[in-house]
Amino acid sequence: MKTRKLLDKLVAYLDGDARKRKKEKDEIKAVLKKLKRREKKLKNLLDETKDADKRTALQKEIDIVHAQRKKGVRLLKA
Amino acid sequence: MLRRILLPVIFLILAYGFWISPDFKVIAAGVAIFLFGMLALEEGFKAFTGGLLERLLRKTTDKLWKSLVFGVVSTTLMQSSSLVSVITISFLSAGLLGLAAGIGIIFGANLGTTTGAWLVAGFGLKVNIAAYAMPMLVFGVILVFQKSKALNGIGYILAGMGFLFLGIAYMKDGFDAFKETLDLSQFALPGLLGLLVYTLVGIAATVIMQSSHATLVITITALAAGQVTYENALALAIGSNVGTTITAILGALSANIEGKRLAGAHLIFNVITGTIAIVLIKPFAASVDVISAAIGIAADDYTLKLAVFHTLFNLTGIVVMLPLIGRLVALLEGSLKAKAKHISEPRYLTESAEAFPDTAVEAVRNETLHIYENSRDIIASGLYLHPADLTSEAALNERIAASVHGSPTDIQAAYETRVKPLYNAVIEFISRTATGWEQQQMADLHWLRNANRHLVEAIKGTKHLQKNLSIYVRGDNAHIRDEYNRLRLQIASVLLLLEQLRNGEDADVAILALDGIRARLERGDEAYTDRLYAMIREHRITPQMGTSLMNDTGYAHDIQRDLMGMAETLFAGPERELAPAQRKLQLDEDEMADALGERAASNDPGPPPGKADGA
């Protein structure tokens, strides 16, 4: 079993496409982390904001970031 | 004049030498093969400069000690302090490195280069080095003919090392045979005179061969054959250290002011280190004896003792100079001042930035930022705004509300003087450098070229918009004035947001942060159409004003879209390798509508602001 696993790893390493896909996924994960931080920051800002227009704009921005995160998760699962 | 006669004179001297002594011919051929090996080695390492070296350099130079270690390790591996210093100058010119970090690398490279002496003295002279050279050459040359860039690079490195070894072997044999016909040691000079004369000889030999490594190898092989005395060999080693700065100085001639400062630091370091070694030669020699005895080097093993000396005085130089780096930076910045560049002169597109793909891309990026800054100012002035108005929302609103005075800016003239020369330079630089690059760097350049085009389009849009804007914002009709002020505010707000994005925390996800601005832009001013028709219907504005406004709203929209397009590339943040992933996560129109809950709610998307005929 161990040898099999090692062989799989070797095949995956030698397979250029698989390596490229892994790199792409890692990059998406890194972006998702940053987006999560950004969404949290925007939510904190929303809590502190009183002005109605600004609150609406911020809420829209939060919705967009959330949708971007959802898209990222979808891409990771694909 | 001197330059013109130097080469023929060297040729004549060499030819005469070859005629009178076959052994001299062997030594000279050894040096030539050795230098050719270094060229091959540099070529090989250049094959790997398309990413790995640059990434390493970027990540390992944020602290001084890291820069120092990078200098030591990279020079030890590449066996060429010249290549390391040329790369460092190139990075500095492109704005990828700070001067202090660059100086750290150069200091480290000086220590790293001393490993060469250890290798030659400890390994090269003790074994039959030519035996190792042969297979290296064979395998290396086979690999050189491979198509793969990596294999090609490895081939050059192997062949380079093979030639180095072969060169050393020839020099060794040459000196061994040479001493039977001519004893060079009869020219040995004792005392201070010998120290100074041989230091000068070391400097001259290094300047001619442009390699301290070669000088050092000749010195070690000559020392092993008893052709120079140990005392004179120490002086030659000091001279080679000072002479090596010539490579950095030549490399800096085509660099910008930062590169010149680094070459200055290199010269100062090596001259000071050399002076310390000359002044303290006796204590140094005594210390070498003590250290050699301690690490088991025989008292008569002068070649290894020379390696100890070389390492010791370079290490001393680093210990003395390291605390003074801050002052050195201040001194160099004070004495080598940047010439005040005209606003239309390229700042980053230097010859030395062309040397490596990553530095070339970075130079184009920085120059595009320069073009952006000039374009931003032109667009702002076209809107009757000052760049200082783009610092906060409050400042912007206040300026827009104030009445407009003065004659309109000549945008075409501003474009011709402040943007077009830079744009030309960028396009010329790209066409000159971008051949045979990696896909990633070609893609980077593609995006940067697009960013430049967007900037030019944004300026053109401002020029068109300005025609009517300059009339209506200064006119008597308050209604049309308000509408044009609204356009001014829209464009200026995008400029302000982009400035905040560029300098703020969200720079690392800039491409995605721009989605929010784009959503606002695409949705436009929802009440605009109703307002426009009501104003015409109620005769608050003339139909002619209405069509002008429709046209100009289209221009304003295009300007904002071009600015966004530019920002996607240019403000992609410090973690630019994440740009492709960010582009994958960008929302398309349907996804955006879903995100904002508009798909079910809105049946009437409303006309996008567009151009009408006439006006």
Side-chain angles (χ1 to χ4, degrees), chain A residues 7-70:
Chain A
L7 270 177
D8 284 349
K9 273 193 174 175
L10 182 68
V11 169
Y13 181 76
L14 293 175
D15 180 356
D17 284 346
R19 233 175 340 161
K20 199 174 152 203
R21 273 199 302 277
K22 186 179 177 315
K23 189 172 169 266
E24 282 172 1
K25 284 195 171 181
D26 288 346
E27 285 172 359
I28 291 177
K29 277 183 198 164
V31 173
L32 283 176
K33 246 187 207 170
K34 289 176 190 297
L35 282 180
K36 192 174 177 183
R37 249 198 336 257
R38 181 167 147 78
E39 188 177 341
K40 200 173 167 193
K41 199 182 82 185
L42 287 170
K43 278 182 176 164
N44 288 340
L45 204 63
L46 182 71
D47 291 341
E48 292 164 12
T49 306
K50 299 267 185 312
D51 183 86
D53 286 346
K54 278 190 181 160
R55 279 184 68 87
T56 314
L58 273 174
Q59 187 55 57
K60 277 188 179 174
E61 214 162 326
I62 292 168
D63 292 342
I64 291 170
V65 177
H66 196 75
Q68 288 166 338
R69 285 182 58 201
K70 266 167 67 179

Side-chain angles (χ1 to χ4, degrees), chain B residues 398-417:
Chain B
E398 196 180 322
R399 172 64 70 148
I400 299 271
S403 53
V404 169
H405 299 288
S407 52
T409 307
D410 185 345
I411 291 185
Q412 184 62 33
Y415 167 72
E416 296 282 349
T417 53

Side-chain angles (χ1 to χ4, degrees), chain B residues 46 56 71 121 140-141 185 226 232 263 270 344 356 368 408 480 535 558:
Chain B
K46 272 189 185 169
L56 265 175
V141 170
S185 62
N232 291 158
N270 287 37
S344 61
F356 306 100
T368 308
I480 194 75
M535 281 193 292
D558 290 347

Side-chain angles (χ1 to χ4, degrees), chain B residues 2 25 31 34 54 64 112 125 137 146 169 178 197 212 349 355 364 368 383 398-399 410 432 447 459 477 567:
Chain B
L2 188 70
K25 198 160 59 186
V31 176
F34 183 87
E54 286 85 346
L64 188 60
L125 298 178
L137 283 173
Q146 300 304 308
F178 200 49
V197 168
S212 60
L349 306 177
V364 173
T368 308
L383 301 172
E398 196 180 322
R399 172 64 70 148
D410 185 345
R432 200 172 57 230
W447 288 105
I459 295 175
N477 187 323

Side-chain angles (χ1 to χ4, degrees), chain B residues 259-421:
Chain B
K260 290 192 173 84
R261 284 174 185 154
L262 188 71
H266 198 1
L267 182 68
I268 291 172
F269 174 80
N270 287 37
V271 168
I272 288 182
T273 309
T275 311
I276 292 173
I278 289 172
V279 172
L280 301 175
I281 189 78
K282 287 222 166 100
F284 267 122
S287 309
V288 168
D289 288 341
V290 173
I291 294 169
S292 300
I295 57 176
I297 295 171
D300 58 350
D301 193 343
Y302 291 115
T303 51
L304 271 179
K305 279 168 79 172
L306 180 68
V308 174
F309 171 75
H310 196 219
T311 306
L312 188 66
F313 88 79
N314 270 296
L315 197 62
T316 309
I318 291 176
V319 171
V320 171
M321 294 296 290
L322 212 54
L324 303 174
I325 274 193
R327 283 191 195 175
L328 190 59
V329 169
L331 172 77
L332 289 162
E333 284 174 349
S335 53
L336 291 173
K337 284 212 166 72
K339 250 198 311 183
K341 284 242 174 186
H342 190 264
I343 203 143
S344 61
E345 271 183 271
R347 288 179 192 158
Y348 303 94
L349 306 177
T350 59
E351 245 179 76
S352 62
E354 277 176 41
F356 306 100
D358 271 12
T359 52
V361 169
E362 196 59 25
V364 173
R365 183 184 302 284
N366 283 331
E367 205 58 64
T368 308
L369 268 171
H370 181 200
I371 297 178
Y372 158 72
E373 282 162 6
N374 286 357
S375 307
R376 177 201 58 200
D377 294 354
I378 293 173
I379 294 170
S381 67
L383 301 172
Y384 290 93
L385 297 169
H386 193 269
D389 301 328
L390 302 173
T391 48
S392 73
E393 252 180 86
L396 188 59
N397 288 329
E398 196 180 322
R399 172 64 70 148
I400 299 271
S403 53
V404 169
H405 299 288
S407 52
T409 307
D410 185 345
I411 291 185
Q412 184 62 33
Y415 167 72
E416 296 282 349
T417 53
R418 297 181 63 180
V419 171
K420 196 155 191 287

Side-chain angles (χ1 to χ4, degrees), chain B residues 124-137:
Chain B
L125 298 178
K126 306 258 184 318
V127 294
N128 181 12
I129 199 167
Y132 290 92
M134 304 301 175
M136 281 185 181
L137 283 173

